């Protein structure tokens, strides 16, 4: 039997069986037409309650009809309870309790209250069940004195008190359990809050200490920077004065060597001539070193004037300024290359690198190749020669001041590549060298993005000879 059939039978039979008296014409008519649904039953109950709220005294026939309505509500609540629909079962039981209170039917109130208590217990709403238990206890005591109903008399006060005592203990136990859980939760939260505050305060003290340490270090760094700047200025001033003041005696030594060769050529033996030439070459080297020192310390003293430079034109100017007696071939990738840099500095870099490749070359034909190479997203200007190469142990020192990979010329200062490194560092770029003895050397100028304006594929190879 499904739910609709059950409600159809209940709507017709229950009011008659439960009361045995006249039922509402409206109820009979609705029962014969359509079985009363749950929602219609609730609507009837609400209408009846509204009539009572308007202070209308129900007739005996209406009371009988309302008692039948209470029985329907209680029966529907029991069925919903069995189906497991406890929320709806509680609603119908509450409606039955409300109507029974309105008409003063203790018997109907007892049945509806017992049904509501069972539902509340399953729903864990113990406080509502506890309140209804109290009302039933009071009702049973009054009914035992004044009522002659056998059904009510059969309810013993001792059983109700016992049941009520058990429910009260359960309720108190639940309250105590909830209170203990709340206290435990508050304790945990308090401990966590204290730990968080302690950790935050410790971190704050650590940050303050670190900040003071950083401030102290910054102060020391600023002081050291001032001292370094002062020493650099003094060193520059010394280099400038020394290079100028030492030029005069060096020129005098060179002139004396020239006079000795000219005036005493017939008097001096071969060893004397050799010593005079050695004195002259050493003086020339000293002069070159002083000029190199002055040039080295001048780098960065003036602001850079960056401009758009055509590499082909610049290489041509560099080659014109180099005095060389060897046969020379310089190859340059003919690309549409535009570099942005200080022209004088870039010219000085290329001059030193090309001049180095020519001066130390031991081949009958000097071959130098300039090209661009891209690795990942970085561009490099590559200068490659066919010279004698450099040993691996000397590669790290070639860019140091006064260092030479080849000690073949006493007139060389050994400062050219140091000047190149200093200029390149001022561009925020790097320089590196690869070499293999007997084959040649390759220098890489690793350029930054700001220096590259435009690079296209080579159309042809430009040769200077």
């Amino acid at each position: 039997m499904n739910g609709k059939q059950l409600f159809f039978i209940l709507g017709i039979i229950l009011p008659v069986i439960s009361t045995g008296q006249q039922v509402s014409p409206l109820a009979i008519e609705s029962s014969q037409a359509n079985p009363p649904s749950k929602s219609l039953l609730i609507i009837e109950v609400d209408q009846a309650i509204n009539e009572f709220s308007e202070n209308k005294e129900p007739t005996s026939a209406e009371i009988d009809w309302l008692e039948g309505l209470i029985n329907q509500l209680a029966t529907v609540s029991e069925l919903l309870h069995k189906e497991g629909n406890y929320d709806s079962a509680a609603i119908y039981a509450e409606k039955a309790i409300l109507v029974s209170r309105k008409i003063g039917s203790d018997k109907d109130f007892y049945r509806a209250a017992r049904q509501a208590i069972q539902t509340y217990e399953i729903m864990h709403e113990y406080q509502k069940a506890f309140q209804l238990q109290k009302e039933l206890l009071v009702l049973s005591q009054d009914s035992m004195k004044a009522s002659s109903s056998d059904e009510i008399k059969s309810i013993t006060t001792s059983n109700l008190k016992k049941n009520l005592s058990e429910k009260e203990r359960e309720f108190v136990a639940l309250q105590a359990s909830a209170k203990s859980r709340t206290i435990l939760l508050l304790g945990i939260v308090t401990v966590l809050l204290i730990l968080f505050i302690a950790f935050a305060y410790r971190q704050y003290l650590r940050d303050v200490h670190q900040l003071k340490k950083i401030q102290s270090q910054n102060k020391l760094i600023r002081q050291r920077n001032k001292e370094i700047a002062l020493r650099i200025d003094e060193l520059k001033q010394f280099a400038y004065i020394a290079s100028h003041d030492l030029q005069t005696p060096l020129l005098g030594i060179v002139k004396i060597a020239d006079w000795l060769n000219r005036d005493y050529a017939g008097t001096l033996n071969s060893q004397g001539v050799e010593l005079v030439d050695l004195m002259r070459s050493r003086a020339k080297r000293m002069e070159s070193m002083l000029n190199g020192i002055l040039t080295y310390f001048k780098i960065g003293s003036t602001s850079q004037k960056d401009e758009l430079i055509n590499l082909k034109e610049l290489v041509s100017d560099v080659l014109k300024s180099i005095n060389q007696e060897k046969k020379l071939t310089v190859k340059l990738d003919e690309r549409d290359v535009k570099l942005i840099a200080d022209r004088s500095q870039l010219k000085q870099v290329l001059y030193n690198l090309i001049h180095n490749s020519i001066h130390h070359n031991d081949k009958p034909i000097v071959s130098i190749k300039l090209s661009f190479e891209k690795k990942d997203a970085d561009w490099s200007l590559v200068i490659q020669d066919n010279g004698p190469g450099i040993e691996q142990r000397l590669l790290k020192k070639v860019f140091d001041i006064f260092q030479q990979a080849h000690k073949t010329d006493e007139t060389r200062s050994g400062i050219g590549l140091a000047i190149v490194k200093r200029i390149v560092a001022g561009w925020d770029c790097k320089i590196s060298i690869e070499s293999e003895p007997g084959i040649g050397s390759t220098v890489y100028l690793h350029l930054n993005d700001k220096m590259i304006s435009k690079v296209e594929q080579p159309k042809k190879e430009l040769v200077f000879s």
Side-chain angles (χ1 to χ4, degrees), residues 207-360:
D207 292 343
V208 170
H209 176 72
Q210 191 70 17
L211 180 61
K212 290 181 178 179
K213 185 177 180 181
I214 292 173
Q215 290 175 344
S216 177
Q217 290 176 348
N218 289 339
K219 184 178 180 181
L220 181 62
I221 290 172
R222 286 193 295 268
Q223 183 179 354
R224 294 287 175 83
N225 287 339
K226 289 180 180 179
E227 294 176 358
I228 292 172
L230 181 62
R231 297 295 180 270
I232 291 175
D233 289 340
E234 292 175 350
L235 185 59
K236 286 182 179 180
Q237 187 177 6
F238 170 77
Y240 183 79
I241 294 172
S243 60
H244 279 76
D245 291 350
L246 291 176
Q247 291 288 341
T248 302
L250 284 175
L251 290 175
I253 293 173
V254 172
K255 286 183 179 181
I256 292 173
D258 291 338
W259 292 340
L260 288 173
N261 281 330
R262 184 188 62 192
D263 298 337
Y264 298 95
T267 307
L268 295 174
N269 57 18
S270 59
Q271 186 178 5
V273 172
E274 184 179 350
L275 291 174
V276 171
D277 289 340
L278 181 61
M279 179 179 64
R280 188 178 186 281
S281 66
R282 293 295 173 85
K284 281 290 184 180
R285 187 185 180 195
M286 187 65 182
E287 182 183 6
S288 177
M289 291 177 66
L290 291 174
N291 290 329
I293 290 172
L294 185 60
T295 303
Y296 185 84
F297 281 104
K298 279 185 177 180
I299 296 172
S301 60
T302 58
S303 58
Q304 291 184 202
K305 296 180 181 180
D306 293 339
E307 58 181 289
L308 203 61
I309 301 172
N310 186 297
L311 189 62
K312 178 179 68 174
E313 297 176 357
L314 188 61
V315 170
S316 179
D317 290 345
V318 169
L319 293 176
K320 291 176 183 178
S321 62
I322 295 176
N323 296 321
Q324 53 86 23
E325 298 177 355
K326 297 180 181 180
K327 189 174 181 181
L328 172 66
T329 300
V330 178
K331 297 179 181 180
L332 174 65
D333 283 351
E334 180 62 7
R335 304 184 190 222
D336 188 4
V337 180
K338 302 292 182 183
L339 297 178
I340 299 175
D342 184 277
R343 185 179 181 83
S344 62
Q345 288 186 352
L346 184 56
K347 184 177 180 180
Q348 193 170 14
V349 168
L350 293 178
Y351 176 87
N352 281 288
L353 293 175
I354 294 174
H355 189 270
N356 239 33
S357 296
I358 295 172
H359 182 78
H360 295 294

Side-chain angles (χ1 to χ4, degrees), residues 388-399:
I390 304 171
E391 296 180 20
Q392 292 295 321
R393 62 184 181 85
L394 299 175
L395 285 179
K396 294 182 179 179
K397 297 182 179 181
V398 295
F399 293 108

Side-chain angles (χ1 to χ4, degrees), residues 10 14-16 18-19 23-24 27 36-37 40-49 62-76 92 95-96 99-100 103 108 111:
L10 290 174
L14 283 178
V16 179
S18 62
T19 61
V23 297
S24 172
S37 64
L40 290 177
L41 198 58
I42 292 294
I43 292 173
E44 290 184 31
V45 173
D46 291 337
Q47 289 177 348
I49 293 172
E62 289 176 337
I63 290 176
D64 293 339
W65 170 70
L66 289 172
E67 287 179 348
L69 189 62
I70 293 171
N71 286 330
Q72 291 186 61
L73 289 169
T75 303
V76 172
Y92 280 89
K95 292 292 184 181
V99 177
S100 64
I103 64 176
D108 295 327
R111 179 185 178 188

Side-chain angles (χ1 to χ4, degrees), residues 65 134 155 161 178 204 224 307 313 450:
W65 170 70
K134 284 185 176 181
I155 305 171
K161 285 184 177 180
Y204 168 76
R224 294 287 175 83
E307 58 181 289
E313 297 176 357
K450 296 179 181 179

Side-chain angles (χ1 to χ4, degrees), residues 150-196:
D150 294 335
E151 184 177 356
I152 296 177
K153 284 182 178 181
S154 65
I155 305 171
T156 60
T157 304
S158 60
N159 290 335
L160 283 173
K161 285 184 177 180
K162 182 179 179 181
N163 191 14
L164 179 61
S165 177
E166 291 177 357
K167 298 300 178 184
E168 188 172 11
R169 284 196 298 271
E170 291 178 6
F171 181 68
V172 171
L174 287 172
Q175 282 186 325
S177 176
K179 185 176 180 181
S180 63
R181 285 196 299 268
T182 303
I183 293 173
L184 178 61
L185 181 61
L186 288 174
I188 293 173
V189 172
T190 303
V191 171
L192 291 176
L193 184 60
I194 293 172
L195 291 175
F196 175 76

